């Protein structure tokens, strides 16, 4: 609809963020979580180090950032839950409501991600207690390993922590998104950063810091298989929370005068800094204690307790660290469930507490597939591995990149430049042209090539 007047008049149904900072904090709360501290290091370790990190960084900058901007601008323009927003804008900009399938896929994706996310967040909560009680003080790698193995081997304990985490998520979401979220993120993200920096000093003293630097930043291109490239791109989506409409849902509450570009850059920088920092703490410990970098999902839970156990006051710092990480996971979990909750409220007429409970119970039940993937069902393997491995692959490496692809294609090709510029940069200056070029050509082509290239990796 070239020439159509920009429609900035819709108001959100759930109120607005009180300021630009509040929005930055909320999106940061969504982005920073287990993806940075738990998933990033183990993915780097499993996928050969530097080459993975390089592709990850490129994907964050050239694909993740423009998609984040696209999601926020679409969200703010539609001002509804992602399904309704995509339907409204789909009709306005391209004459069809079929675009709502992006929102539907995002809601399903968010529920699937949260199902395993909650199980892992449960480990984090178990580690608050383990650290506080001094389990790791001066511990050897054998002790630390035995603690982790015992935790995941027991479906009841793991299930109980998973249940507690889902219950907390539902309680927070039932009471409304905003209350408490802003102040929690404001304290939590800097505090998490601070403890990681503290651990970095320890990591630098292990004698294996250079080995770790080389592992993370000297790319061995022979490791760069199509599967590794797909995994790196998928991790970029996962870590930034893009591709599933969650940032779109948050954008719906963004005041009209806030700068989308500045906000996105701030979030992307802090998210990436925390992931790299986590890697820089984990890998020196891996090499100093002779652990296996390709250990998998347990990597962080086997390395950080070792590092913390060597510090004076390690029990206290350990407790604080896992507490902060659990909080970071909670603010991400809220964003993962908010899509389906907003949808239930707006289209099914449920109250917020009922919607949150219904969604929470469903996700909690699905989560037991992940809980059992580490014990009773750990030998039940197909496709990518355990049930958890498959849910993780399907969401991070298929659904998020596919959602992201459709979102940029919609924003770059189907929305009129008038509409997108009205949100991003009404003067249509260099910022706008750069974004438009990335959203229209580079990001979609890159995602398509990664997909095509990895067809074999889907087998
Ligand atoms: N970005 C979150 C993390 O890094 C996880 C997440 C993914 C949250 C997708 C929302 C949407 O932990």
């Amino acid at each position: 609809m070239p020439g159509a007047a920009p429609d900035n008049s819709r108001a959100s149904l759930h109120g607005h963020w009180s300021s630009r900072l509040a929005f930055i904090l909320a999106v940061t709360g969504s982005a920073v979580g287990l993806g940075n501290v738990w998933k990033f290091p183990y993915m780097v370790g499993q996928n050969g180090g530097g080459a993975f990190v390089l592709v990850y960084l490129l994907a964050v900058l050239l694909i993740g950032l423009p998609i984040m901007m696209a999601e926020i601008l679409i969200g703010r323009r539609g001002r509804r839950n992602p399904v309704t927003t995509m339907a409204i804008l789909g009709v306005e900009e391209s004459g069809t409501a079929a675009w709502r399938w992006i929102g539907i896929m995002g809601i399903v994706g968010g529920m699937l991600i949260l199902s395993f996310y909650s199980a892992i967040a449960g480990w984090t909560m178990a580690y608050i207690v383990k650290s506080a009680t001094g389990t790791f003080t001066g511990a050897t790698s054998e002790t630390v390993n035995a603690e982790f193995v015992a935790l995941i081997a027991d479906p009841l304990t793991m299930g109980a922590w998973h249940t507690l985490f889902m219950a907390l998520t539902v309680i927070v979401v039932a009471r409304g998104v905003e209350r408490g979220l802003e102040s929690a993120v404001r304290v939590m993200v800097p505090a998490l950063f601070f403890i990681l920096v503290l651990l970095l000093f320890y990591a630098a003293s292990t004698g294996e810091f250079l080995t770790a630097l080389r592992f993370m930043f000297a790319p061995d291109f022979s490791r760069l298989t199509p599967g590794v490239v797909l995994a790196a791109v998928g991790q970029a989506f996962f870590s930034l929370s893009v591709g599933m409409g969650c940032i779109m849902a948050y954008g719906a509450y963004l005041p009209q005068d806030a700068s989308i570009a500045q906000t996105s850059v701030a979030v992307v920088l802090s998210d990436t800094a925390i992931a790299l920092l986590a890697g820089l703490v984990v890998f020196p410990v891996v090499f100093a204690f002779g652990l296996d970098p390709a250990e998998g999902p347990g990597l962080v839970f086997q390395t950080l307790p070792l590092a913390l156990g060597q510090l004076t006051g390690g029990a206290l710092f350990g407790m604080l660290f896992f507490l902060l990480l659990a909080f970071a996971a909670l603010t991400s979990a809220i964003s993962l469930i908010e899509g389906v909750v907003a949808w239930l409220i707006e289209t099914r007429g449920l109250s917020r507490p009922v919607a949150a409970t219904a969604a929470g119970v469903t996700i909690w039940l699905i989560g037991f597939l992940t809980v059992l993937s580490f014990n009773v069902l750990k030998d039940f393997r197909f496709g990518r591995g355990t049930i958890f491995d498959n849910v993780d692959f399907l969401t991070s490496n298929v659904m998020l990149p596919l959602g992201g692809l459709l979102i940029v294609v919609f924003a770059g090709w189907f929305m009129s430049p008038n509409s997108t510029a009205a949100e991003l940069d009404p003067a249509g200056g260099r910022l706008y042209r750069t974004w438009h070029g990335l959203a229209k050509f580079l990001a979609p082509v890159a995602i398509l090539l990664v997909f095509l290239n990895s067809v074999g990796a889907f087998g």
Side-chain angles (χ1 to χ4, degrees):
M1 274 195 304
D7 173 14
N8 297 343
S9 55
R10 259 183 299 267
S12 152
L13 302 176
H14 305 272
H16 290 224
W17 304 107
S18 54
S19 65
R20 187 173 82 95
L21 182 65
F23 176 74
I24 293 188
L25 289 169
V27 180
T28 307
S30 168
V32 174
L34 298 174
N36 309 60
V37 177
W38 161 71
K39 200 170 178 197
F40 178 75
Y42 96 70
M43 295 283 284
V44 173
Q46 273 185 337
N47 291 291
F52 176 92
V53 175
L54 184 68
V55 179
Y56 170 78
L57 292 175
L58 287 174
V60 163
L61 204 66
L62 299 176
I63 306 177
L65 180 60
I67 295 183
M68 181 176 286
M69 292 171 62
E71 279 201 37
I72 301 176
L73 83 86
I74 291 173
R76 183 165 72 180
R77 217 170 163 70
R79 294 266 189 231
R80 295 290 180 276
N81 72 78
V83 180
T84 313
T85 285
M86 286 311 308
I88 297 177
L89 294 191
V91 169
E92 268 178 22
E93 304 279 348
S94 81
T96 163
W99 292 100
R100 74 175 185 285
W101 283 99
I102 296 178
I104 296 171
M105 183 171 76
I107 284 178
V108 175
M111 294 176 74
L112 286 176
I113 293 176
L114 185 51
S115 78
F116 71 78
Y117 204 84
S118 168
I120 311 295
W123 297 353
T124 308
M125 292 198 299
Y127 272 63
I128 302 173
V129 179
K130 285 187 199 291
S131 304
T133 52
T135 312
F136 303 128
T137 310
T140 60
S141 53
E142 286 75 31
T143 326
V144 172
N145 182 48
E147 282 294 325
F148 180 71
V149 171
L151 171 66
I152 64 171
D154 177 6
L156 282 182
T157 313
M158 206 181 140
W161 287 111
H162 160 60
T163 306
L164 180 60
F165 184 82
M166 268 321 291
L168 286 173
T169 305
V170 167
I171 291 170
V172 175
V173 173
R175 302 178 59 201
V177 236
E178 263 168 284
R179 225 176 305 158
L181 189 69
E182 292 180 30
S183 40
V185 178
R186 198 188 297 247
V187 178
M188 178 197 82
V189 173
L192 199 62
F193 196 83
F194 174 80
I195 300 194
L196 281 172
V197 170
L198 199 80
L199 286 171
L200 186 65
F201 282 107
Y202 167 74
S205 74
T206 55
E208 294 296 340
F209 196 59
L210 279 181
T211 321
L213 279 180
R214 223 170 290 128
F215 180 69
M216 279 180 68
F217 296 109
D220 170 4
F221 289 108
S222 69
R223 298 289 308 260
L224 213 53
T225 62
V228 168
V229 174
L230 177 65
V233 173
Q235 172 61 16
F237 279 87
F238 184 86
S239 191
L240 295 177
S241 306
V242 296
M244 56 147 293
C246 141
I247 302 292
M248 199 186 285
Y250 277 12
Y253 316 136
L254 182 64
Q256 196 59 44
D257 56 0
S259 159
I260 291 177
Q262 282 173 16
T263 306
S264 307
V265 169
V267 172
V268 166
L269 287 182
S270 42
D271 188 73
T272 308
I274 293 192
L276 292 176
L277 205 49
L280 287 175
V281 172
V282 165
F283 288 109
V285 178
V286 166
F287 296 123
F289 286 84
L291 305 175
D292 177 10
E295 158 78 38
L299 190 65
V300 166
F301 294 92
Q302 315 215 7
T303 47
L304 292 190
L306 276 175
L308 288 156
Q310 310 298 316
L311 290 182
T312 335
L316 180 69
F317 280 120
M319 179 190 79
L320 257 176
F321 178 82
F322 286 110
L323 187 68
L324 290 165
L325 188 56
F327 253 110
L330 186 63
T331 56
S332 301
I334 292 167
S335 73
L336 283 162
I337 202 177
E338 178 60 20
V340 59
V341 171
W343 179 80
L344 285 171
I345 297 173
E346 288 171 26
T347 67
R348 292 291 174 269
L350 300 185
S351 71
R352 184 166 265 283
V354 173
T357 309
V361 169
T362 312
I363 295 166
W364 172 70
L365 287 174
I366 305 174
F368 278 93
L369 293 176
T370 290
V371 171
L372 298 177
S373 293
F374 288 92
N375 34 67
V376 180
L377 296 179
K378 76 170 184 291
D379 296 321
F380 177 58
R381 290 170 169 270
F382 58 98
R384 317 298 309 177
T386 61
I387 303 179
F388 157 72
D389 293 324
N390 281 286
V391 178
D392 177 30
F393 182 85
L394 174 71
T395 49
S396 294
N397 294 7
V398 182
M399 294 175 84
L400 296 183
L402 183 62
L405 173 65
L406 294 172
I407 289 168
V408 271
V409 164
F410 179 71
W413 290 90
F414 288 88
M415 288 182 80
S416 81
N418 273 333
S419 317
T420 46
E423 299 293 335
L424 285 180
D425 176 9
R430 198 174 60 191
L431 165 77
Y432 179 74
R433 291 196 304 273
T434 309
W435 172 82
H436 205 229
L438 290 175
K440 202 164 174 159
F441 301 109
L442 199 129
V445 170
I447 301 172
L448 268 179
L449 285 180
V450 170
F451 268 143
L452 289 179
N453 189 34
S454 63
V455 177
F458 284 95

mmCIF file of all heavy atoms in Angstrom, residues 29-37 110 113 117 235 237-242 244 246 271 328-329 332-333 335-336 400, ligand 1:
data_model
loop_
_atom_site.group_PDB
_atom_site.id
_atom_site.type_symbol
_atom_site.label_atom_id
_atom_site.label_comp_id
_atom_site.label_asym_id
_atom_site.label_seq_id
_atom_site.Cartn_x
_atom_site.Cartn_y
_atom_site.Cartn_z
ATOM 1 N N GLY A 29 15.684 -9.001 29.704
ATOM 2 C CA GLY A 29 15.273 -10.087 30.589
ATOM 3 C C GLY A 29 14.889 -11.323 29.801
ATOM 4 O O GLY A 29 15.164 -12.448 30.197
ATOM 5 N N SER A 30 14.248 -11.104 28.649
ATOM 6 C CA SER A 30 13.888 -12.233 27.797
ATOM 7 C C SER A 30 15.136 -12.855 27.170
ATOM 8 O O SER A 30 15.303 -14.065 27.146
ATOM 9 C CB SER A 30 12.933 -11.771 26.694
ATOM 10 O OG SER A 30 12.800 -12.781 25.730
ATOM 11 N N ALA A 31 16.019 -11.998 26.674
ATOM 12 C CA ALA A 31 17.173 -12.502 25.913
ATOM 13 C C ALA A 31 18.194 -13.179 26.818
ATOM 14 O O ALA A 31 18.693 -14.263 26.511
ATOM 15 C CB ALA A 31 17.823 -11.348 25.142
ATOM 16 N N VAL A 32 18.524 -12.539 27.929
ATOM 17 C CA VAL A 32 19.554 -13.091 28.803
ATOM 18 C C VAL A 32 18.951 -14.190 29.665
ATOM 19 O O VAL A 32 17.980 -13.966 30.374
ATOM 20 C CB VAL A 32 20.154 -11.993 29.706
ATOM 21 C CG1 VAL A 32 21.118 -12.604 30.711
ATOM 22 C CG2 VAL A 32 20.849 -10.947 28.862
ATOM 23 N N GLY A 33 19.521 -15.367 29.561
ATOM 24 C CA GLY A 33 18.981 -16.479 30.336
ATOM 25 C C GLY A 33 19.875 -17.689 30.199
ATOM 26 O O GLY A 33 21.092 -17.570 30.011
ATOM 27 N N LEU A 34 19.243 -18.855 30.256
ATOM 28 C CA LEU A 34 20.013 -20.097 30.153
ATOM 29 C C LEU A 34 20.723 -20.188 28.807
ATOM 30 O O LEU A 34 21.749 -20.841 28.689
ATOM 31 C CB LEU A 34 19.075 -21.285 30.319
ATOM 32 C CG LEU A 34 18.363 -21.367 31.670
ATOM 33 C CD1 LEU A 34 17.339 -22.500 31.662
ATOM 34 C CD2 LEU A 34 19.380 -21.588 32.777
ATOM 35 N N GLY A 35 20.159 -19.531 27.795
ATOM 36 C CA GLY A 35 20.776 -19.551 26.468
ATOM 37 C C GLY A 35 22.198 -19.030 26.506
ATOM 38 O O GLY A 35 23.074 -19.543 25.800
ATOM 39 N N ASN A 36 22.457 -18.025 27.326
ATOM 40 C CA ASN A 36 23.790 -17.436 27.390
ATOM 41 C C ASN A 36 24.729 -18.263 28.247
ATOM 42 O O ASN A 36 25.867 -18.511 27.878
ATOM 43 C CB ASN A 36 23.721 -16.029 28.006
ATOM 44 C CG ASN A 36 22.688 -15.173 27.327
ATOM 45 O OD1 ASN A 36 21.503 -15.502 27.317
ATOM 46 N ND2 ASN A 36 23.127 -14.087 26.739
ATOM 47 N N VAL A 37 24.266 -18.643 29.430
ATOM 48 C CA VAL A 37 25.170 -19.223 30.412
ATOM 49 C C VAL A 37 25.226 -20.755 30.317
ATOM 50 O O VAL A 37 26.268 -21.365 30.478
ATOM 51 C CB VAL A 37 24.758 -18.784 31.840
ATOM 52 C CG1 VAL A 37 25.638 -19.437 32.888
ATOM 53 C CG2 VAL A 37 24.819 -17.267 31.946
ATOM 54 N N GLY A 110 7.221 -21.383 21.461
ATOM 55 C CA GLY A 110 7.491 -20.878 22.809
ATOM 56 C C GLY A 110 7.127 -21.907 23.868
ATOM 57 O O GLY A 110 7.853 -22.109 24.841
ATOM 58 N N ILE A 113 9.754 -24.701 23.743
ATOM 59 C CA ILE A 113 11.026 -24.270 24.340
ATOM 60 C C ILE A 113 10.896 -24.238 25.858
ATOM 61 O O ILE A 113 11.728 -24.763 26.585
ATOM 62 C CB ILE A 113 11.458 -22.884 23.809
ATOM 63 C CG1 ILE A 113 11.816 -22.962 22.331
ATOM 64 C CG2 ILE A 113 12.660 -22.349 24.605
ATOM 65 C CD1 ILE A 113 12.165 -21.625 21.692
ATOM 66 N N TYR A 117 13.143 -25.746 28.827
ATOM 67 C CA TYR A 117 13.805 -24.647 29.543
ATOM 68 C C TYR A 117 13.548 -24.756 31.045
ATOM 69 O O TYR A 117 14.430 -24.556 31.870
ATOM 70 C CB TYR A 117 13.228 -23.344 28.998
ATOM 71 C CG TYR A 117 14.106 -22.130 29.156
ATOM 72 C CD1 TYR A 117 15.097 -21.857 28.225
ATOM 73 C CD2 TYR A 117 13.930 -21.253 30.216
ATOM 74 C CE1 TYR A 117 15.883 -20.737 28.347
ATOM 75 C CE2 TYR A 117 14.723 -20.134 30.345
ATOM 76 C CZ TYR A 117 15.699 -19.876 29.403
ATOM 77 O OH TYR A 117 16.480 -18.765 29.532
ATOM 78 N N GLN A 235 21.414 -21.037 17.497
ATOM 79 C CA GLN A 235 21.772 -20.527 18.817
ATOM 80 C C GLN A 235 21.618 -18.998 18.859
ATOM 81 O O GLN A 235 21.203 -18.439 19.867
ATOM 82 C CB GLN A 235 23.207 -20.955 19.173
ATOM 83 C CG GLN A 235 23.783 -20.335 20.433
ATOM 84 C CD GLN A 235 23.006 -20.676 21.703
ATOM 85 O OE1 GLN A 235 22.202 -21.612 21.716
ATOM 86 N NE2 GLN A 235 23.225 -19.915 22.759
ATOM 87 N N PHE A 237 19.424 -17.219 17.224
ATOM 88 C CA PHE A 237 17.987 -16.969 17.392
ATOM 89 C C PHE A 237 17.552 -17.225 18.829
ATOM 90 O O PHE A 237 16.852 -16.436 19.442
ATOM 91 C CB PHE A 237 17.179 -17.880 16.459
ATOM 92 C CG PHE A 237 17.087 -17.367 15.054
ATOM 93 C CD1 PHE A 237 18.062 -17.669 14.128
ATOM 94 C CD2 PHE A 237 16.023 -16.573 14.656
ATOM 95 C CE1 PHE A 237 17.992 -17.192 12.835
ATOM 96 C CE2 PHE A 237 15.942 -16.086 13.361
ATOM 97 C CZ PHE A 237 16.923 -16.398 12.445
ATOM 98 N N PHE A 238 17.977 -18.377 19.340
ATOM 99 C CA PHE A 238 17.560 -18.774 20.685
ATOM 100 C C PHE A 238 18.013 -17.742 21.712
ATOM 101 O O PHE A 238 17.246 -17.292 22.558
ATOM 102 C CB PHE A 238 18.152 -20.151 21.015
ATOM 103 C CG PHE A 238 17.710 -20.707 22.341
ATOM 104 C CD1 PHE A 238 16.535 -21.427 22.450
ATOM 105 C CD2 PHE A 238 18.473 -20.521 23.484
ATOM 106 C CE1 PHE A 238 16.118 -21.942 23.673
ATOM 107 C CE2 PHE A 238 18.074 -21.038 24.709
ATOM 108 C CZ PHE A 238 16.885 -21.749 24.797
ATOM 109 N N SER A 239 19.286 -17.347 21.603
ATOM 110 C CA SER A 239 19.835 -16.458 22.617
ATOM 111 C C SER A 239 19.187 -15.079 22.573
ATOM 112 O O SER A 239 18.989 -14.444 23.602
ATOM 113 C CB SER A 239 21.343 -16.344 22.442
ATOM 114 O OG SER A 239 21.910 -15.700 23.546
ATOM 115 N N LEU A 240 18.853 -14.611 21.368
ATOM 116 C CA LEU A 240 18.242 -13.279 21.251
ATOM 117 C C LEU A 240 16.729 -13.326 21.429
ATOM 118 O O LEU A 240 16.068 -12.288 21.372
ATOM 119 C CB LEU A 240 18.572 -12.671 19.880
ATOM 120 C CG LEU A 240 20.051 -12.369 19.610
ATOM 121 C CD1 LEU A 240 20.220 -11.848 18.185
ATOM 122 C CD2 LEU A 240 20.595 -11.356 20.607
ATOM 123 N N SER A 241 16.167 -14.501 21.601
ATOM 124 C CA SER A 241 14.706 -14.671 21.723
ATOM 125 C C SER A 241 13.960 -14.256 20.462
ATOM 126 O O SER A 241 12.799 -13.870 20.541
ATOM 127 C CB SER A 241 14.121 -13.851 22.887
ATOM 128 O OG SER A 241 14.757 -14.108 24.086
ATOM 129 N N VAL A 242 14.605 -14.311 19.296
ATOM 130 C CA VAL A 242 13.884 -13.895 18.100
ATOM 131 C C VAL A 242 13.407 -15.089 17.270
ATOM 132 O O VAL A 242 13.908 -16.195 17.413
ATOM 133 C CB VAL A 242 14.714 -12.954 17.186
ATOM 134 C CG1 VAL A 242 15.017 -11.655 17.898
ATOM 135 C CG2 VAL A 242 15.969 -13.620 16.685
ATOM 136 N N MET A 244 10.171 -16.153 17.194
ATOM 137 C CA MET A 244 8.940 -16.788 17.685
ATOM 138 C C MET A 244 7.904 -15.778 18.157
ATOM 139 O O MET A 244 6.913 -16.148 18.781
ATOM 140 C CB MET A 244 9.254 -17.762 18.805
ATOM 141 C CG MET A 244 9.997 -17.132 19.940
ATOM 142 S SD MET A 244 9.602 -17.825 21.528
ATOM 143 C CE MET A 244 7.929 -17.347 21.741
ATOM 144 N N CYS A 246 8.089 -13.491 20.396
ATOM 145 C CA CYS A 246 8.094 -13.064 21.782
ATOM 146 C C CYS A 246 8.500 -11.593 21.888
ATOM 147 O O CYS A 246 7.885 -10.809 22.619
ATOM 148 C CB CYS A 246 9.007 -14.021 22.535
ATOM 149 S SG CYS A 246 10.001 -13.339 23.746
ATOM 150 N N ASP A 271 23.410 -9.119 25.550
ATOM 151 C CA ASP A 271 23.203 -10.561 25.434
ATOM 152 C C ASP A 271 24.490 -11.260 24.978
ATOM 153 O O ASP A 271 24.889 -12.278 25.534
ATOM 154 C CB ASP A 271 22.071 -10.845 24.437
ATOM 155 C CG ASP A 271 21.681 -12.307 24.423
ATOM 156 O OD1 ASP A 271 21.048 -12.747 25.397
ATOM 157 O OD2 ASP A 271 22.032 -13.010 23.454
ATOM 158 N N ALA A 328 17.279 -15.057 35.903
ATOM 159 C CA ALA A 328 17.424 -14.757 34.477
ATOM 160 C C ALA A 328 16.568 -15.730 33.674
ATOM 161 O O ALA A 328 15.926 -15.346 32.688
ATOM 162 C CB ALA A 328 18.891 -14.864 34.053
ATOM 163 N N ALA A 329 16.538 -16.992 34.106
ATOM 164 C CA ALA A 329 15.714 -17.992 33.428
ATOM 165 C C ALA A 329 14.235 -17.653 33.594
ATOM 166 O O ALA A 329 13.438 -17.806 32.661
ATOM 167 C CB ALA A 329 16.013 -19.388 33.979
ATOM 168 N N SER A 332 13.141 -15.003 31.226
ATOM 169 C CA SER A 332 13.010 -15.552 29.874
ATOM 170 C C SER A 332 11.743 -16.413 29.777
ATOM 171 O O SER A 332 11.028 -16.369 28.772
ATOM 172 C CB SER A 332 14.229 -16.404 29.510
ATOM 173 O OG SER A 332 15.406 -15.642 29.578
ATOM 174 N N ALA A 333 11.493 -17.191 30.824
ATOM 175 C CA ALA A 333 10.319 -18.073 30.827
ATOM 176 C C ALA A 333 9.036 -17.261 30.697
ATOM 177 O O ALA A 333 8.104 -17.641 29.984
ATOM 178 C CB ALA A 333 10.298 -18.918 32.097
ATOM 179 N N SER A 335 8.664 -14.538 29.145
ATOM 180 C CA SER A 335 8.479 -14.114 27.757
ATOM 181 C C SER A 335 8.085 -15.288 26.866
ATOM 182 O O SER A 335 7.423 -15.116 25.855
ATOM 183 C CB SER A 335 9.747 -13.434 27.232
ATOM 184 O OG SER A 335 10.763 -14.376 26.996
ATOM 185 N N LEU A 336 8.507 -16.500 27.247
ATOM 186 C CA LEU A 336 8.156 -17.669 26.436
ATOM 187 C C LEU A 336 6.684 -18.027 26.570
ATOM 188 O O LEU A 336 6.058 -18.530 25.646
ATOM 189 C CB LEU A 336 9.021 -18.868 26.852
ATOM 190 C CG LEU A 336 10.460 -18.855 26.329
ATOM 191 C CD1 LEU A 336 11.345 -19.801 27.122
ATOM 192 C CD2 LEU A 336 10.486 -19.227 24.850
ATOM 193 N N LEU A 400 12.601 -21.519 15.013
ATOM 194 C CA LEU A 400 13.017 -20.120 15.173
ATOM 195 C C LEU A 400 13.575 -19.536 13.866
ATOM 196 O O LEU A 400 13.145 -18.451 13.441
ATOM 197 C CB LEU A 400 14.025 -19.955 16.320
ATOM 198 C CG LEU A 400 13.533 -20.281 17.733
ATOM 199 C CD1 LEU A 400 14.616 -20.002 18.771
ATOM 200 C CD2 LEU A 400 12.266 -19.509 18.072
HETATM 201 N N1 LIG B 1 16.743 -16.035 24.933
HETATM 202 C C1 LIG B 1 16.467 -16.883 26.047
HETATM 203 C C2 LIG B 1 17.802 -17.346 26.614
HETATM 204 O O1 LIG B 1 18.834 -17.059 26.080
HETATM 205 C C3 LIG B 1 15.593 -18.047 25.658
HETATM 206 C C4 LIG B 1 14.416 -17.653 24.834
HETATM 207 C C5 LIG B 1 14.293 -18.124 23.539
HETATM 208 C C6 LIG B 1 13.456 -16.785 25.344
HETATM 209 C C7 LIG B 1 13.239 -17.730 22.730
HETATM 210 C C8 LIG B 1 12.391 -16.400 24.551
HETATM 211 C C9 LIG B 1 12.283 -16.857 23.244
HETATM 212 O O2 LIG B 1 17.843 -18.018 27.598
#
